[in-house]
Amino acid sequence: MSTFQAPKGTYDLLPPNSATYLAVREAISAPLKNSGYGYVETPGFENVELFARGVGESTDIVTKEMYAFETKGGDQLALRPEGTASVLRAALEANLHKAGNLPVKLWYSGSYYRYERPQKGRYRHFSQVGAEAIGAEDPALDAELIILADQAYRSLGLRNFRILLNSLGDKECRPVYRAALQEFLRGLDLDEETLRRAEINPLRVLDDKRADVQKQLTGAPSMPDYLCDACTAYHKEVRELLDAAGVVYEDDAKLVRGLDYYTRTTFEFVHDGLGSQSAVGGGGRYDGLSEMIGGPSLPSVGWALGVDRTVLALEAEGVDLELPATTSVFAVPLGEEARRVLFGKVTELRKAGIATDFSYGGKGLKGAMKNANRSGARFTLVAGERDLADGVVQLKDMESGEQGPVALDAVLETLKAKLG
Ligand code: HAM
C-alpha cells in the first residue's frame, strides 16, 4: 500500500519553514493588537446560506469554489471560504454592536478553503490574518486599516508591493454605474458566458484577464466618473489621510474584488514577484453586509492578508526573517546517572525560559553531538560519570568550540549570563 499524501491543492507546514509562517502571522497581527483590535475565533464551517448571502450568489467563490456539504443531521454547511461573513455573524450573534462601543474592532487568523484550480500561490487550503472594524462610517477607519497592513508588510521587510485603491460607490451611485457598464458591455463582441456574466455581475467583466476582452474594454464607463458627491468626498478623505501618513497607493478604477459585499473603499495589496497570483491581501468597506445577513445597518470595513502568499513574497524578495533560535541549549548525558541529573537540569533551564532540548534514545556521544549540531543550539551541556563525581558538567560553545567545566548548581546562572 502506498502512503497517504496531502490532498490536492494543500501542503503541510513543517519545521524549519513553519517558523516563518508563525512569524508572518505574528507580524501581521502585531499592528492590529496595537490599535484596539481584539482577537476573534469562529468555527471553520458555517451555515452555507451565510456565505451565499454574504459573499454573493453569483460569485465564483459561492458557485464554484465552496466546500459545501450536508451533515448526517441534515444541516447544510460549508467550510469557510473567507472570514468576513463569519466574523460579522459572530459579532451580531453576541450583540457586540449593542455594547455601545462602535466600531467593534476584531482580528483573526486561521484556515480558509476554496475549491480552486491549484497553482503556485493558489491553494485549496490557505491561511489568512484578517481585521474587521464593524459599525462605523469614517474614512479614518478605512485609512487606519490600510496603514496597518502597510506597516505589517514593511515590518517583515517587504518592499516590492503596491497598494491598489478604488471606490465602488454606494447604493445610490453603484446601480447607475452598473447599468451604464451593462449597456456598454451589451454592445461588445463577447462570448456567451461573458455576456451572461455581464448581466449578472457586470463589474466582474472588468477583471477578465483575456487580452481580446481587455482591448474591447477601452472606453468602458469608469466608476470614478459615476461616484455620487458623498462617495467622492469620502474617497477624497481616505486618500488624503493615506497621503498624510506617507502611504503610497495607486488609483485603480478597474479594481474589482471577487466578493459582492463591497461598497465604497476597496483595495488590494499586490506583489510584483508572484506571477499571476499577485494579490497578497485585499479588503474594503462593506456597508450593506450586515443587512444582507439579517442584521441592522452596520457600515464596516476590513481586510485579509494571505499568509501563504506573504511567505512567497518574502522568498521572491529574498528576505530572511530573523527568527529566534528554536533551541539555545542541548544536553547530552553519557550514562544512566548523567541522564537523570541532566534531565533535571533541562527542566530547570526550561522553567527559566531558556529553550533547551535533550538527547533522547540513549545515543552515544557522536550521535548525540550530531543532534546537538542539527538543533542549532548555541551551547551543549555534556556530562559523564567523572563530571558528576566532580560536581560539574562540560559546557561547550558550539560557535567558538570552547569547552570547560561548570559547577552543576551554577549552570543556570552561567547560561543566563552567556545568552544575554
Ligand atoms: P480575498 O481577496 O478573497 O478577500 O482574500 C484575501 C487574501 O487571501 C488574498 O489576497 C490572498 O492573499 C489570500 N487568498 C485568497 N484565496 C487564496 C487561495 N486560494 N490560495 C492562497 N491564498 C489565497 C477576502 O477573503 C475578504 N474576506 C477580505 C476582507 C476582509 N474584506 C473585508 N474584510
Side-chain angles (χ1 to χ4, degrees):
M1 200 182 85
S2 62
T3 52
F4 290 108
Q5 294 185 328
K8 184 172 174 192
T10 73
Y11 64 102
D12 305 304
L13 301 184
L14 300 165
N17 298 344
S18 49
T20 306
Y21 286 76
L22 285 181
V24 165
R25 291 189 186 116
E26 178 55 35
I28 298 174
S29 54
L32 298 170
K33 293 181 211 164
N34 192 38
S35 310
Y37 289 77
Y39 180 65
V40 60
E41 199 167 311
T42 65
F45 50 81
E46 295 275 350
N47 189 318
V48 68
E49 200 51 32
L50 174 70
F51 300 120
R53 276 206 254 162
V55 176
E57 302 274 9
S58 70
T59 59
D60 281 354
I61 292 180
V62 168
T63 57
K64 299 180 191 157
E65 298 169 4
M66 212 143 58
Y67 283 89
F69 57 99
E70 188 179 306
T71 65
K72 290 193 171 66
D75 293 329
Q76 305 291 332
L77 302 179
L79 299 187
R80 57 185 182 187
E82 62 106 39
T84 309
S86 309
V87 167
L88 186 54
R89 192 269 308 140
L92 290 171
E93 191 176 330
N95 282 319
L96 296 187
H97 59 295
K98 289 188 185 154
N101 201 11
L102 296 178
V104 176
K105 290 163 66 167
L106 301 168
W107 76 273
Y108 51 94
S109 172
S111 291
Y112 297 86
Y113 307 86
R114 295 181 193 175
Y115 190 74
E116 296 202 71
R117 204 157 36 78
Q119 67 176 85
K120 187 173 181 200
R122 190 165 68 196
Y123 310 105
R124 291 179 172 175
H125 164 259
F126 57 96
S127 81
Q128 292 182 342
V129 175
E132 313 293 349
I134 297 164
E137 190 184 85
D138 185 336
L141 202 52
D142 307 40
E144 165 177 292
L145 279 160
I146 296 172
I147 292 167
L148 294 177
D150 182 74
Q151 202 181 320
Y153 283 138
R154 288 189 187 282
S155 77
L156 282 166
L158 285 175
R159 293 294 174 266
N160 303 336
F161 65 89
R162 294 179 291 131
I163 303 173
L164 309 180
L165 184 68
N166 194 17
S167 172
L168 291 178
D170 62 7
K171 57 180 185 291
E172 303 301 321
C173 54
R174 173 105 67 99
V176 183
Y177 172 63
R178 192 178 183 276
L181 182 62
Q182 225 158 26
E183 195 53 38
F184 174 86
L185 294 174
R186 281 183 194 132
L188 300 185
D189 178 22
L190 298 168
D191 61 273
E192 236 174 78
E193 199 194 324
T194 312
L195 282 173
R196 219 176 10 249
R197 184 173 308 144
E199 293 309 313
I200 303 167
N201 203 341
L203 271 70
R204 292 296 297 164
V205 179
L206 295 178
D207 209 22
D208 200 308
K209 299 283 183 288
R210 291 170 296 181
D212 59 313
V213 176
Q214 277 304 323
K215 206 167 132 205
Q216 294 195 63
L217 287 175
T218 25
S222 178
M223 186 69 231
D225 299 336
Y226 285 78
L227 290 182
C228 61
D229 291 346
C231 285
T232 305
Y234 193 96
H235 200 52
K236 183 166 172 276
E237 198 173 335
V238 173
R239 297 169 81 257
E240 284 170 358
L241 289 166
L242 292 176
D243 291 338
V247 170
V248 180
Y249 55 86
E250 297 169 21
D251 294 306
D252 183 353
K254 280 192 178 167
L255 176 69
V256 282
R257 307 259 305 123
L259 307 95
D260 277 354
Y261 48 62
Y262 291 110
T263 52
R264 291 193 165 170
T265 315
T266 46
F267 48 88
E268 218 153 73
F269 290 78
V270 295
H271 193 277
D272 293 324
L274 296 188
S276 65
Q277 302 308 311
S278 61
V280 286
R285 190 154 265 290
Y286 49 94
D287 292 340
L289 179 57
S290 175
E291 285 153 304
M292 278 150 66
I293 63 171
S297 167
L298 281 174
S300 307
V301 58
W303 51 242
L305 309 189
V307 175
D308 310 75
R309 289 187 195 167
T310 302
V311 171
L312 290 174
L314 289 170
E315 280 167 21
E317 284 198 38
V319 177
D320 271 326
L321 298 182
E322 271 186 38
L323 302 172
T326 46
T327 305
S328 302
V329 178
F330 197 93
V332 175
L334 303 171
E336 264 316 300
E337 177 62 4
R339 206 170 109 84
R340 210 178 43 76
V341 174
L342 271 193
F343 190 73
K345 275 289 150 208
V346 165
T347 305
E348 184 189 343
L349 294 176
R350 286 174 176 168
K351 274 190 192 150
I354 297 177
T356 309
D357 207 352
F358 187 66
S359 176
Y360 292 100
K363 289 188 190 64
L365 181 61
K366 211 171 138 202
M369 287 312 285
K370 232 185 227 168
N371 284 10
N373 251 322
R374 279 205 203 104
S375 77
R378 174 69 201 278
F379 296 101
T380 51
L381 292 173
V382 184
E385 313 251 301
R386 200 178 314 149
D387 298 311
L388 294 182
D390 295 346
V392 301
V393 295
Q394 299 297 325
L395 176 66
K396 181 172 179 186
D397 183 328
M398 301 296 275
E399 250 167 48
S400 68
E402 272 170 50
Q403 185 174 323
V406 176
L408 258 177
D409 52 14
V411 169
L412 176 59
E413 288 314 313
T414 308
L415 282 170
K416 260 193 193 161
K418 284 188 184 284
L419 287 164

